[in-house]
Amino acid sequence: PSCSPTTLAPGQVSTCVAQHTVTQTDLDAVPAEVVNVATGSAQPPTPPGGSVPPRTSDPSDPVVVVATRITGIEILKSTTTVDFDAAGDVIDYSFELRNAGNITLDNVEVTDPAADAGSITCPTTSMAPSGIVTCSAQHTVTQADLDAGLVVNVASVTSTDTFGDPVNDDSNVVIVPAVQTPSITTIKALDAASITSYMGVGDVIDYVITVTNSGNVTLAAVAVGDPMADTAPVCAPTTLLPGESA
């Protein structure tokens, strides 16, 4: 602090000026305030022939300045995966986190119901104000995803401020479409025990009809129509996963 004047007669007042530049520690403090006490001191005159007296001093009353705390966190989810067409394909996700407040956030964690177990990675769990952190995750495509035709997902970020209060946010919706290619292949052949030629009315020709799901989505209500069959062919099972046959 600078004071003027620096020599005071009884009853005279000197005005001193000082500044404190706020630090991040001041904003993160609990309670969030700057409490300050100043101490004025001076040297009394030395009496003639006497010894030098000690300095006299007096502390001020505390001055409290309270912080205006702003808390906030944002999460933006994205992917470079355009589409998928097979179970086992991997969708890569990226999460950009931003501390939108003016205090430090701790225990930062991203959750994503579509992410493979253990695939979410973040470089830190603490974020300074205006800090940006990029996290990542993966989702392995399932047959259910292919049958649904898309993967729709929202992620969340949780954190706590220095008071232990929650600071959370949900991401935007990210949609990755499936490329569905439904297909069925039918093969008809004589049964191994069937006659290979006929010579009279009433002879029976036995057929085997194999239906295969040759696409990438589950097929339901599988049926075979044969206009020459005595009775409608029966298929089992009637629901086929890709590659399965009835």
Side-chain angles (χ1 to χ4, degrees):
S2 59
C3 299
S4 179
T6 57
T7 299
L8 297 178
Q12 191 175 6
V13 175
S14 176
T15 300
C16 303
V17 178
Q19 292 178 328
H20 170 72
T21 300
V22 172
T23 66
Q24 190 59 50
T25 300
D26 296 329
L27 282 164
D28 292 341
V30 180
E33 58 189 22
V34 173
V35 180
N36 185 245
V37 175
T39 299
S41 66
Q43 181 63 53
T46 301
S51 58
V52 178
R55 290 181 67 84
T56 183
S57 64
D58 180 56
S60 72
D61 292 331
V63 175
V64 179
V65 179
V66 178
T68 299
R69 293 162 53 91
I70 302 171
T71 60
I73 193 169
E74 298 172 352
I75 177 171
L76 177 65
K77 181 176 182 178
S78 61
T79 181
T80 57
T81 303
V82 176
D83 53 40
F84 60 91
D85 62 6
D89 286 353
V90 175
I91 301 174
D92 294 309
Y93 291 114
S94 178
F95 313 95
E96 183 180 275
L97 314 180
R98 186 176 77 89
N99 183 342
N102 65 355
I103 61 173
T104 301
L105 297 177
D106 294 312
N107 304 311
V108 177
E109 182 180 8
V110 172
T111 57
D112 187 334
D116 295 341
S119 72
I120 299 177
T121 59
C122 293
T124 183
T125 59
S126 181
M127 295 182 65
S130 300
I132 294 177
V133 170
T134 300
C135 304
S136 62
Q138 292 81 41
H139 170 72
T140 301
V141 172
T142 66
Q143 188 59 50
D145 296 330
L146 276 166
D147 293 343
L150 74 174
V151 173
V152 181
N153 187 241
V154 174
S156 300
V157 61
T158 58
S159 65
T160 55
D161 63 16
T162 51
F163 280 84
D165 294 327
V167 182
N168 307 328
D169 189 37
D170 294 328
S171 77
N172 52 302
V173 178
V174 174
I175 300 174
V176 181
V179 178
Q180 296 180 318
T181 54
S183 179
I184 193 168
T185 301
T186 305
I187 298 175
K188 182 176 182 179
L190 287 174
D191 186 82
S194 174
I195 62 174
T196 58
S197 64
Y198 61 92
M199 51 189 303
V201 174
D203 287 351
V204 176
I205 303 172
D206 295 310
Y207 297 104
V208 174
I209 303 170
T210 302
V211 178
T212 300
N213 183 344
S214 51
N216 69 349
V217 294
T218 301
L219 300 178
V222 175
V224 171
D226 188 336
M228 295 193 67
D230 296 339
T231 58
V234 177
C235 298
T238 58
T239 299
L240 297 179
L241 295 173
E244 287 187 334
S245 299

